[in-house]
Amino acid sequence: MTTPEELANTHSKSLINLLRGWPSTSLLTVSLIKQATQNVLSNPTVSVPGLLYGPDTGHPPLRKALAAWLTDFYEPAQAVTPERIAITGGASQNLAGLLQVYTDPVFTRNVWMVAPAYMLAFRSFEDAGFSGKLRAVPEDEEGIDLGFLRREIHKSEEKAKAEGNTKPTFKPARPYAKIYRHVIYCVPTFANPSSRTMSLSRRKELVRCAREYDALVICDDVYDFLQWPADMKTERSSLDKAVMPRVVDIDRVLDGGAARADSDGFGNAVSNASFSKIGAPGMRTGWVEGTEKFAYGVAQTGGTWSGGAPSQMSSTYISDLLESGALQSHVLRTLQPAYASRYRTLVSAIDRYLAPLGITLPQPDRAVVGGYFVWLHLPDGLRGAALARRAKEEENVIVPEGEMFEVPGDEEAARFGENVRLCFSWEDEDKLVEGVRRLSAVVRRMQRDGERAGSRPQTGAAREAKHDLGAFR
Ligand SMILES: Cc1ncc(COP(=O)(O)O)c(C=O)c1O
């Protein structure tokens, strides 16, 4: 029970929003973009094509500059080429595009979502006709539980066979595309929300599993560049090489690679990436990397075919920033140290205020951490939903409960009632500490009250309303 004094106290407390997964306004690339826009707008050879419809695969200089940067950062076995890249309107827009080109709501049996899952992706899958076909795949400390996935995907195939589901129902055959039987959706590095990184061996096994079952692995690789050493004592706060090859890099070379003789050349993995977290989300620009055939197919979706790649003008600015090296340096010298500092401040506050109450973080032993989030597990069956409600009511702190990240329609397969997610990108460091201190006060009161009750989520619109998913936006 909240005492009247505690409630009165709430109203005098400033709001702390640990839910919003946006970049800090202090880290927006204003001066860089100002310079880039001046460069572009004073050069008609760039500004004129920038202001017209562009090529379907996107602004060629951006594809070229990106290919060089990705090669430098990921150090793949073979250099990334511009032909492997198509420019998109960001990861969210492109998720919808991928589903339009590469899936059929009947022939594609299921969408397998590593859970807890990025909750704002659910609607894109439902829009593409996959309502009722979303399946949760649990994670362990190494990432996706492949034993579970293999068992369930096998059952799904048996069912499709029994039903005679042998060819696409709604999508016509197209020379530039194929329809996959399954989609596997994940955030392999610094996941949203679990903050976990999938191990190398799981990435390899995931590619093998995808090939076996004709699945497309869609990887939202949107946090890869935001990384730093996990060691809280090191001075070092930036890292210029990726912690791990992407799933798409592995698909390119593993066991003969995506270009092997018995392959159709589309591959089984795609990297769905974005400038939102490393540039500015308002630019709405991203890129997709896959095999050449796959990248070309993405660029043939109806919305792109009529009008060319999205975000054409933004692409010219970003291209300018990459060609000069300004964006690479911003990521390394500004963003990584700034987010490392926020992360370390948040985790120190968690160690100080929440760990003594029994709250834990996943993957405590890894060498490199990153992204925007930490994922907390509550002690003694305390409910995340109850903590989120009381944190807002009693302490004016907003946190999302773990249930928001359960896969709609398959909540039973992976439950997160005892979790909450904290975001460290939006609020400043003093507010991160104060937010954690206030949360600890709520947890102590919950433990005092013996509060364990929390309601379960529902599916579809009711679920979206209940969790107020709009508040994320
Ligand atoms: C996993 C994941 N995918 C996609 C997005 C959105 O990316 P974009 O702004 O490029 O649409 C986010 C942002 O929170 C995210 O966490």
Side-chain angles (χ1 to χ4, degrees), residues 71-84:
T71 302
D72 183 54
F73 181 69
Y74 289 107
E75 303 184 291
Q78 299 158 18
V80 177
T81 57
E83 293 72 26
R84 289 177 55 81

Side-chain angles (χ1 to χ4, degrees), residues 431-458:
K431 286 213 167 179
L432 294 177
V433 176
E434 175 60 13
V436 169
R437 199 195 57 73
R438 290 192 209 167
L439 282 180
S440 74
V442 181
V443 172
R444 267 186 270 106
R445 289 198 286 273
M446 286 170 74
Q447 288 176 328
R448 179 195 69 193
D449 299 347
E451 178 160 2
R452 283 178 172 73
S455 59
R456 302 298 319 165
Q458 298 140 316

Side-chain angles (χ1 to χ4, degrees), residues 18-25 27-28 187 189-195 222-228 274-281 335 339 342-343 346 369-375 421-427 432:
L18 300 178
L19 174 156
R20 179 170 268 184
W22 294 16
S24 163
T25 52
L27 294 171
L28 291 176
V187 186
T189 304
F190 316 132
N192 177 7
S194 80
S195 72
V222 301
Y223 297 105
D224 294 22
F225 284 99
L226 300 180
Q227 54 165 13
W228 47 87
S274 175
F275 291 103
S276 288
K277 313 294 176 184
I278 53 177
L335 294 186
Y339 286 126
R342 284 155 175 272
Y343 170 86
L346 179 69
V369 290
Y372 268 15
F373 307 105
V374 298
W375 181 243
R421 187 193 77 177
L422 306 186
C423 175
F424 52 86
S425 64
W426 178 247
E427 296 284 15
L432 294 177

Side-chain angles (χ1 to χ4, degrees), residues 2-72:
T2 314
T3 64
E5 294 75 34
E6 284 163 356
L7 254 187
N9 216 0
T10 314
H11 303 299
S12 59
K13 288 181 177 161
S14 61
L15 176 73
I16 299 180
N17 189 339
L18 300 178
L19 174 156
R20 179 170 268 184
W22 294 16
S24 163
T25 52
S26 64
L27 294 171
L28 291 176
T29 43
V30 177
S31 60
L32 295 182
I33 289 172
K34 193 171 169 199
Q35 185 58 55
T37 53
Q38 274 167 6
N39 294 345
V40 168
L41 292 172
S42 55
N43 182 355
T45 62
V46 184
S47 63
V48 171
L51 288 165
L52 291 171
Y53 292 123
D56 295 346
T57 45
H59 186 54
L62 179 55
R63 294 169 71 211
K64 188 168 168 228
L66 254 175
W69 190 27
L70 297 174
T71 302
D72 183 54

Side-chain angles (χ1 to χ4, degrees), residues 64-119:
K64 188 168 168 228
L66 254 175
W69 190 27
L70 297 174
T71 302
D72 183 54
F73 181 69
Y74 289 107
E75 303 184 291
Q78 299 158 18
V80 177
T81 57
E83 293 72 26
R84 289 177 55 81
I85 294 171
I87 302 305
T88 70
S92 311
Q93 177 271 337
N94 188 54
L95 175 59
L98 290 171
L99 300 176
Q100 281 171 2
V101 175
Y102 288 111
T103 68
D104 175 284
V106 173
F107 179 72
T108 305
R109 291 91 162 94
N110 287 106
V111 172
W112 304 91
M113 302 189 77
V114 176
Y118 172 50
M119 69 294 160

